[in-house]
């Protein structure tokens, strides 16, 4: 059944992995990411097509099903404090909620161990991993529920959506795969949360929080040089940064904590009223209700920041969002910062391609190349000053100013 283990592609990958391994030992930037990609590709290279098929269509769906059941019976919480030696299935099952048959728990744990989500340390004995411990956290639990319960229907209904829409990429934000799956044509994805399923919306917010974990923050020195590009030359009074559509304030709080008294001015968080109600911002920051399709009320700020906003909307809506900011900008001083994916013309990574598909399914939106970003910003009266990217991240910061 095995594919040819001595194929030129496989051997080249083995050599590459050895070199990347040395780089990892020496602390070279990008070595970890390179290893992840090379090891994943090597598995595909060494696998027979039927093995790949069964991994994708058998092992992974079963894995998701077991993880979902794990949330249902609080399996990950039951394992959270177990040491590396592990505990028996019966001991773990005794702490599930509701109490679950040890035989069923054992079947779940064996598949989780086969998929490396937990460790099998002895016969019928299991221990947690960093992944399974994370799955016990509320934001990860919400993410699992959102992806499996709330969003999987959009994927399952994808074929019938395209059968009725001529197999063309969606360009409507109120008539896409999500609306087709939930029979809510005419309602935007985010509007659906508010009107029909606020719990889904809450889970979505948690998922976004989980998604940001472990990823470099845009204001880190290795990512975007805030001190050189924004703090230097900034006016000592007024508004330093406006986070437009910034949710409950993760980025605002990150900036505030990272720079503290070095910030020459206050921070402003803006979002819809129902989101701002839950905002969490500290001293020197203000939470403000604002619809980003209307004119920006904060004038002359040093920076207007949009995190994962552009990717969620069509070119026409994005142009409206940006044109609402332009009148508030001070020429030669104000900047717009776009924290988003910039898709390479070749060799896009799976987080970029997967999220692009999710954006299509939920929002009728997409990721963009440099050329596509540039054309859209020029249409709104802006120009690109530069594009920054952290060596350990796939998203970018695009700095814009008035054209």
């Amino acid at each position: 059944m095995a594919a040819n283990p001595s194929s030129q592609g496989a051997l080249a990958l083995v050599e590459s992995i050895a070199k990347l391994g040395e780089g990892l030992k020496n602390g070279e930037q990008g070595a970890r990411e390179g290893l992840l990609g090379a090891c994943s590709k090597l598995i595909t290279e060494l696998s027979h097509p039927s093995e790949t098929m069964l991994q994708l269509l058998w092992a992974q769906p079963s894995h998701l099903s077991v993880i979902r059941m794990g949330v249902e019976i609080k399996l990950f919480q039951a394992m959270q404090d177990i040491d590396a030696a592990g505990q028996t299935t019966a001991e773990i099952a005794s702490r599930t909620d509701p109490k679950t048959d040890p035989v069923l728990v054992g079947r779940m744990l064996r598949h989780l161990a086969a998929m490396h989500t937990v460790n099998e340390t002895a016969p019928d004995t299991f221990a947690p991993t960093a992944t399974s411990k994370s799955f016990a956290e509320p934001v990860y639990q919400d993410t699992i529920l959102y992806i499996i319960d709330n969003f999987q229907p959009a994927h399952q209904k994808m074929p019938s959506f395209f059968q009725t829409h001529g197999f063309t990429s969606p360009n409507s934000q109120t008539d896409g795969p999500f609306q087709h799956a939930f029979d809510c044509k005419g309602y935007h994805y985010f509007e659906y949360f508010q009107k029909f399923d606020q719990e889904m919306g809450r889970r979505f917010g948690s998922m976004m929080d989980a998604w940001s974990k472990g990823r470099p923050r845009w204001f880190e020195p290795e990512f975007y040089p805030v001190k050189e590009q924004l703090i230097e030359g900034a006016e000592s009074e007024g508004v330093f940064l406006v986070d437009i559509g910034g949710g409950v304030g993760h980025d605002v709080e990150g900036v505030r904590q990272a720079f503290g008294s070095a910030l020459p001015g206050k921070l402003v968080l803006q979002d819809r009223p129902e989101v701002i109600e839950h905002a969490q911002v500290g001293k020197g920051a203000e939470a403000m209700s604002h619809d980003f399709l209307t004119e920006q009320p904060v004038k002359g700020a040093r920076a207007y920041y949009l995190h994962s906003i552009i990717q969620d909307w069509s070119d026409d809506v994005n142009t409206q969002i940006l044109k609402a900011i332009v009148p508030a900008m001070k020429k030669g001083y104000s900047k717009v910062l776009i924290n988003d994916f910039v898709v390479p013309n070749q060799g896009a990574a799976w987080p970029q391609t997967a999220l692009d598909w999710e954006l299509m399914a939920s929002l009728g939106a997409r990721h963009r190349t440099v050329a596509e970003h540039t054309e859209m910003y020029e249409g709104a009266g802006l120009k690109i000053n530069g594009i920054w990217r952290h060596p350990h991240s796939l998203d970018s910061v695009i700095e814009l100013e008035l054209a």
Side-chain angles (χ1 to χ4, degrees), residues 203-222:
R203 290 174 179 176
F204 173 82
S206 282
M207 181 193 68
M208 296 304 295
D209 189 19
W211 182 58
S212 68
K213 289 181 180 293
R215 301 171 68 227
R217 306 293 297 275
W218 70 273
F219 48 79
E220 294 177 13
E222 298 85 0

Side-chain angles (χ1 to χ4, degrees), residues 14 59 69 88 94 126 173 201 207 210 219 261 287 316 319 332-333 343 353 360:
V14 169
M69 271 292 295
T88 66
S94 71
F126 300 88
Q173 298 192 304
M207 181 193 68
F219 48 79
S261 61
D316 289 344
T319 299
Y333 176 75
V343 180
T353 55
M360 179 197 71

